[in-house]
Amino acid sequence: MSFIGKILKSPRLFNGFSWGVTAVLVVSILGFGFWKTQSPTGSAAALSTPTREGVPTTLAIPTSQGDMLQAIVRQVWLKTSITQQPNFDISQYTVESGDALFSIAKQFNIKPETLLWANSTVLKDSPDNIVPGETLVVPPTDGVYYQWKDGDTFDSVAKQFKANVDDILNWPGNNIDLSNPTVKPGTYIMIPGGQRELVDWIKPVVARGRSGTASLGGATCDGPIGSGAFVWPTANHYLSGNDFSSTHLGIDIAAGLGAPVYASDSGVVVVAGWSNSGYGNVVMIDHGNGYSTVYGHLSQIEVSLCAAVYRGTTLIGLAGSTGNSTGPHLHFEVRLNGGFVNPHTVLPPP
């Protein structure tokens, strides 16, 4: 009889054999578990991964030293930096109601002269000729947008506009083949940094005789610099009295008694108080760029000397009829380097 047969025939042998097999299985399981806890591939070597950009990733490299688990931690920041690409394309802008040449130029981060030069056939070098619905050419950088003429050379054009030949050749938007640099007559190119003479649309005048103005002097203060893009200082954009003329070097803006008056551009207050020369309660703002503005006949002044004021947001006073005035309004002046400028040339169209 075989060994297996004897076990099956004898209950005592069968029970002993069963217990032996069970003991072997238990020992095997315990040994395997102990081996797994000592293995370097266990859970201590787990790698944490980020779930979104910007969350540091922790890399843990365990080392065994006694019963203590140590790790080297490194912070990895997943962040992509994307820079804004430069613009070399000519844009177009349709003038809207309330726009001014200065505000459009500021919007596109170019000088007003650049915008005028690019639209000389339409604007005739005067911001007064801007009309709602009109389409303007907007260069991507300061300079002259020029139509190439028959007989032009790069040297002659650069000399004409006080520019650098290399700047013209290397301007990406001009698409000039440097191996054979030529431009067909009639083609428009950009002359970066170029400039030309402007028709002088701003003509500061000196007060003479009974001009209704006076020298206000003013304090010396430091403060914000104006943008050159003026806004109407009142909610109303129309006149209720005198317009600009040789005998009235300002404009009388319609404003009821107590109507708020705001700074037309950023700057610093250099006059704030009573004037015996006809302005009554008056505020004068130095814009730090050659320009200053005057606000006369105020019923109340809301700023003090050397106060910083900001374009269209700082309340400087309330409209009134103090001084030489026959009714509530705001007398508004724009001065440039000591002369008087017609405010209509720098304010947005009504």
Side-chain angles (χ1 to χ4, degrees):
M1 181 179 294
S2 67
F3 177 72
I4 298 300
K6 291 180 180 180
I7 291 175
L8 295 176
K9 288 290 187 176
S10 172
R12 181 178 294 179
L13 290 176
F14 179 79
N15 290 335
F17 181 79
S18 298
W19 281 107
V21 171
T22 301
V24 171
L25 290 174
V26 170
V27 171
S28 298
I29 293 171
L30 291 175
F32 180 77
F34 178 77
W35 174 78
K36 286 293 289 182
T37 60
Q38 299 302 314
S39 174
T41 60
S43 60
L47 176 66
S48 63
T49 58
T51 58
R52 66 178 185 274
E53 183 172 288
V55 178
T57 300
T58 302
L59 304 178
I61 305 175
T63 59
S64 179
Q65 185 177 356
D67 295 331
M68 183 178 296
L69 184 66
Q70 297 180 341
I72 300 173
V73 178
R74 180 182 178 187
Q75 300 293 331
V76 181
W77 292 95
L78 303 180
K79 184 177 180 180
T80 303
S81 178
I82 301 176
T83 58
Q84 186 175 2
Q85 296 297 321
N87 177 32
F88 302 110
D89 297 326
I90 301 296
S91 304
Q92 290 188 333
Y93 180 80
T94 301
V95 180
E96 299 178 356
S97 179
D99 279 340
L101 183 108
F102 290 86
S103 61
I104 297 172
K106 183 180 180 183
Q107 178 181 339
F108 287 92
N109 197 29
I110 59 175
K111 296 178 180 178
E113 294 87 348
T114 296
L115 196 56
L116 281 175
W117 291 331
N119 298 275
S120 58
T121 58
V122 176
L123 300 180
K124 308 296 183 183
D125 281 358
S126 174
D128 288 340
N129 293 328
I130 191 171
V131 177
E134 197 169 51
T135 299
L136 301 179
V137 173
V138 183
T141 189
D142 282 320
V144 178
Y145 187 53
Y146 175 69
Q147 187 176 28
W148 200 266
K149 296 180 176 59
D150 191 21
D152 279 341
T153 66
F154 288 102
D155 287 330
S156 66
V157 170
K159 183 178 180 180
Q160 178 183 352
F161 296 109
K162 302 177 183 178
N164 188 291
V165 172
D166 289 338
D167 290 341
I168 301 173
L169 291 172
N170 296 320
W171 178 255
N174 288 337
N175 297 315
I176 295 174
D177 183 0
L178 297 181
S179 64
N180 182 28
T182 57
V183 178
K184 294 181 179 179
T187 302
Y188 281 92
I189 66 168
M190 192 68 210
I191 305 175
Q195 53 185 298
R196 68 168 176 78
E197 295 298 325
L198 269 175
V199 175
D200 187 9
W201 76 89
I202 295 180
K203 299 182 181 297
V205 298
V206 178
R208 292 186 175 90
R210 299 180 60 81
S211 62
T213 61
S215 175
L216 293 172
T220 301
C221 313
D222 293 325
I225 304 298
S227 64
F230 294 89
V231 296
W232 286 78
T234 59
N236 291 334
H237 297 176
Y238 57 91
L239 306 187
S240 63
N242 296 317
D243 203 344
F244 185 86
S245 69
S246 60
T247 59
H248 187 259
L249 301 178
I251 59 175
D252 292 340
I253 303 175
L257 183 64
V261 176
Y262 297 94
S264 185
D265 198 3
S266 300
V268 61
V269 175
V270 292
V271 173
W274 181 265
S275 167
N276 290 322
S277 56
Y279 290 98
N281 288 324
V282 63
V283 168
M284 183 174 181
I285 299 172
D286 181 355
H287 301 290
N289 53 9
Y291 282 100
S292 59
T293 48
V294 176
Y295 311 77
H297 307 315
L298 301 174
S299 63
Q300 188 170 318
I301 295 174
E302 299 290 340
V303 289
S304 57
L305 283 178
C306 294
V309 296
Y310 297 93
R311 175 179 179 265
T313 59
T314 302
L315 178 69
I316 62 171
L318 304 180
S321 186
T322 57
N324 296 341
S325 171
T326 59
H329 68 279
L330 174 68
H331 176 83
F332 179 67
E333 294 175 8
V334 179
R335 303 185 181 188
L336 176 61
N337 297 324
F340 294 81
V341 173
N342 186 341
H344 293 298
T345 62
V346 297
L347 288 174

